Structures are given as structure tokens and as C-alpha cells.
Amino acid sequence: MLVVIVPIALLFLVALVRRIPLIGGDIRAALLIAGVAAALIGGVGPGEFALGVVDGVDKLAWVMALSLFGAIYAESQVRLGTMTAVLDTLRSLFGNSPKGLIAAIFITLTLAGSLLGDAIAAATVIGFLVITALAELKVKPEQIAMMIMVGASIGSIMPPIAQAVFLSASLVGTDPGPVVLIAYITVTIALVLAILESFRFVKGRTLPPELRPSEPLGTMLGRTWPVFGPLAVLIAIVILNSGFGLNVFTAVPGLGGLVATLETVPVVKGLVHVVVLAIIVSTLVTLCYPRARRQAGSIVATGLGNVRQTLLIQLCAGFMVGMFYASGAVDQVSAAAEGLDSQAVAFGGFIGLAVLGMLTGSQTTAQTVVIPFAAPILLASAADPVNVALGASHIASGAQNLPPVGLTAFVVCGLVGATLKTKVDPVKTMLLALPNSLYFMLVGLVFWLL
């Protein structure tokens, strides 16, 4: 079992001990070192090493493609003005009450997180639009940070992009479609609960005059409706696929054959997933607008910059996963766990995801380390692959915002603090977000115990 114990120990050591020169606290270095250690201890030869790298990256190909093209698409919507139009429309729809403003902000953050697939990027994109307005309502800085963090985090697991869901489905080896359909329900419930829970931060029945919508809803929609075109295209393609089982890309003569061929090519197949293709098409539609077309280069550069770190982490995670499989580490754990009660495995995996997510602040790292070992055992006990994938994504997503190392909380608190010129406590922010974190973790555990 050294092939399991040593790499995991090294991963924790490098990821958590920041005093190690050059690599301390760098999750990318931790993942790479863990993968190399597994390969060396497992006696992986050059040929197996190369195949392992391809296999590991292939398992995360969907997720990486979603992050890459989702970030470019989301940036294009920001430049086009879609995100601002969404926020203004929702504010007008929910009226002139502080609670209506809270609901509008949460829904906008969730939409941004869904398009980006990344909580930190969504919080950064939308945070600037809402911090001052919330401060004028006398909402405390930590409460503002909590709402931005929770809204963006909920968005990061909300379909259609749902990075955490696609990652878990890839690691489990199951079709993400059914997982995504259930996630629509569980994540929407989380959004409603977060909105209701945040109502306590605001008082009064009317907004200050300067925060009220400047024009009626009908007038606003009449002025802004063109910018919703690309978003409507994305939604239509996704709904046709998930709701009616129609993949518009495979249905097109000629294109369907090309997609089918590319789906057999390792790594490349991540580019032809229906959601990825829908995002690419929606981005191309966006570039038909002169305002976006003039900024095409900047849109791509900024979008890539927003997810550069995320993509590097995913690439390193793919390497480590590939080495875990190539070295036989996954097989050893599965063999050692034969005969264990499925509930014991579920609780053990739950604790592993919770602890690793809490200590690294990353659902990607938590899932990448735990799921390759836990999933085969859960599946061997006749667990439904859909439930295994859904549970993993929810547990890890909830754990990443637990104290003390919620990366999103630190970024958001810095953003709020800089805007309001005050100190914002990230630990207090994470504690305020605890109900949301626990909801996701408990929902995930329930699906693992079904």
C-alpha cells in the first residue's frame, strides 16, 4: 500500500506546508509530485507512463474543455453587456425592495458561476457590480462577502457547465447527462435556501432612490433584448439535449459523423461534448455583434486569464489520476476494501472529501484524490453510478468553502475589502456560509447512502 500512502502523504505535505521552499502551498506541485511518486513506487515504465498521462488527462478532458470555452464565453457576455442586463432586468422584476435586490444578486451570481464554471471567476466578474449597492443597504462587509461567495459557489455547480458535476462523472466513468438533470434540482434548492437565509441581512421595505431600477421592466427589455441572443442559443441547445434527448450537432448530416469520430479520440473527445459545442456556437453568435467582435482578442485573452490557474490545476490533477491508475494504486485500494460495508465506504469517502476540501479549498483536488479510490468500491457494492457522481460533486463543493482555507472566501474578502476600504474577515465569512456548505455535503452523503 506504499503506492497509495506515500503519494497522498506527499500531496498533503506540499499542499499544506507553505514553508517548503519554492513548492510549499502550491497545489499544482503537490499533484505532480504525488503522481510522480505513485509512478516511481509502482514501477511504471516509460510506455505505461505515457499511456497513463493520456488516460488521466482524457478522464478530465470534458472538464478542461468546459473551463476553457466557458470562460471565453462568459467574458464575451460581460463585454456584450448580457450580465449587466440580467442584473438590471432581475432588479426591475423583483421590484424596489431590499429583499428583491438580494434575490436578483444571487440569481445573477449563480448565472455567472454557471457560465464560467468557476466560483472565483464569477465572484470577481459580478462582485464589482453589487458590492457598493449592498453596502448602501447597511449590509456588513462579511455578509456581503458571504453572499457573493455563496452565490458564485452555487453557480459553479449549477448546470449547464457545472464543472464539479462533470469532474465527478468523468472520475466515476458515467454519462454526466443524468447527473446534470438531478443537479438542476438540488442546486436550485440550494439557491432558494441561500436567498431566504440572506434576507435577514437587510431591513426595510423599499430601496433608497439611487438603488431603484431607472426604468420599467418592459422598457428595459425593449432596450436590452438583443444582448440575450447568444444566451438563448446556449439554453436552447442544452434544453433540446437534456430535456428532449436531441443533440443538434449529431443530428446535422455530415457533422454527426465527424462528432462520432472525434468522440473516439482520447482527450480530443472533450471538445465535442454537446455542452462544449453549445458554448462554442454561442460564443460565435456573440462575435456577430459588432461590440463583441471589435474586442474579440481581448475577450479571448481575458477569458483564458480567468481560468489559467484552474486549467493548470486540472491538467496536473489529470496527470496524478493517470499515475494512480497506471501504478495500480486504485486497484490495490479496491482489493483491500473488498468485503467492506458500503455504508462504511460511503462515510469514509465523505470524511476524506470533507477534510481534503476543507484543507485545500479546492473541490477539484478533493475529488481527484478521493474519487478514483472510493468510486470503484462504491460501484462494486451495486451503488448507482449517477448517485456516486452526484454525491461526490456535492460533498466536495460544500467542503471547499469550509474554514479555514476557503480560497473563494479569501479572494472575495479581498475584493470587498478593497472596494469598501475596510478589513473583511474570511473565516467569519466562511462561518456565515456554513449552512450552504453543510447543505451540499449532506445532500451528497444522502445520495451515497441510497
Side-chain angles (χ1 to χ4, degrees), residues 247-300:
N247 185 329
V248 297
F249 302 104
T250 58
V252 176
L255 182 59
L258 176 62
V259 170
T261 300
L262 293 177
E263 284 178 337
T264 64
V265 181
V267 181
V268 175
K269 68 183 182 183
L271 299 175
V272 294
H273 187 274
V274 61
V275 177
V276 177
L277 290 176
I279 291 169
I280 294 173
V281 169
S282 299
T283 304
L284 294 176
V285 171
T286 304
L287 295 178
C288 293
Y289 292 72
R291 186 195 313 177
R293 190 166 57 250
R294 287 192 295 267
Q295 304 179 69
S298 177
I299 287 172
V300 173

Side-chain angles (χ1 to χ4, degrees), residues 109-110 113-114 117-120 122-123 146-158 164 187 397-398 400-401 408-409 412 433 436-437 440:
L109 282 164
T110 300
S114 175
D118 183 86
I120 292 177
M146 184 279 280
M147 286 189 278
I148 294 173
M149 180 184 76
V150 169
S153 296
I154 291 173
S156 69
I157 193 175
M158 175 71 84
V187 180
S397 293
Q400 70 178 347
N401 285 334
T408 306
V412 172
N436 178 263
S437 300
F440 274 110

Side-chain angles (χ1 to χ4, degrees), residues 4 7-8 11-12 27 31 34 60 167-168 170-172 317 320-321 324-325 329-331 333-334 337 344-360 362-379 388-389 391-393 395-397 399 448:
V4 179
I8 297 299
L11 185 146
F12 272 95
I27 189 61
L31 293 167
L60 304 189
L167 175 60
S168 63
S170 298
L171 293 173
V172 172
M320 186 185 73
V321 169
F324 278 168
Y325 277 95
V330 174
D331 292 335
V333 171
S334 299
V345 175
F347 279 109
F350 174 83
I351 293 171
L353 280 174
V355 171
L356 198 55
M358 178 180 67
L359 294 179
T360 63
S362 169
Q363 65 84 14
T364 301
T365 304
Q367 288 206 71
T368 304
V369 173
V370 176
I371 301 308
F373 299 116
I377 305 170
L378 291 169
L379 295 174
V388 175
S393 63
I395 296 167
S397 293
W448 271 11

Side-chain angles (χ1 to χ4, degrees), residues 116-128:
L116 282 162
D118 183 86
I120 292 177
T124 303
V125 168
I126 302 301
F128 285 111

Side-chain angles (χ1 to χ4, degrees), residues 158-241:
M158 175 71 84
I161 294 182
Q163 183 195 108
V165 173
F166 277 90
L167 175 60
S168 63
S170 298
L171 293 173
V172 172
T174 188
D175 178 13
V179 188
V180 167
L181 287 177
I182 300 174
Y184 271 115
I185 300 172
T186 57
V187 180
T188 299
I189 292 172
L191 173 60
V192 173
L193 293 176
I195 292 173
L196 295 176
E197 198 263 339
S198 296
F199 281 168
R200 63 192 174 94
F201 297 144
V202 294
K203 298 178 182 180
R205 296 187 177 182
T206 60
L207 288 172
E210 65 273 15
L211 294 181
R212 295 175 188 174
S214 58
E215 54 189 344
L217 177 61
T219 304
M220 185 177 298
L221 288 175
R223 175 176 56 82
T224 62
W225 69 266
V227 303
F228 293 107
L231 181 60
V233 170
L234 174 62
I235 292 173
I237 295 174
V238 171
I239 289 178
L240 285 173
N241 180 72

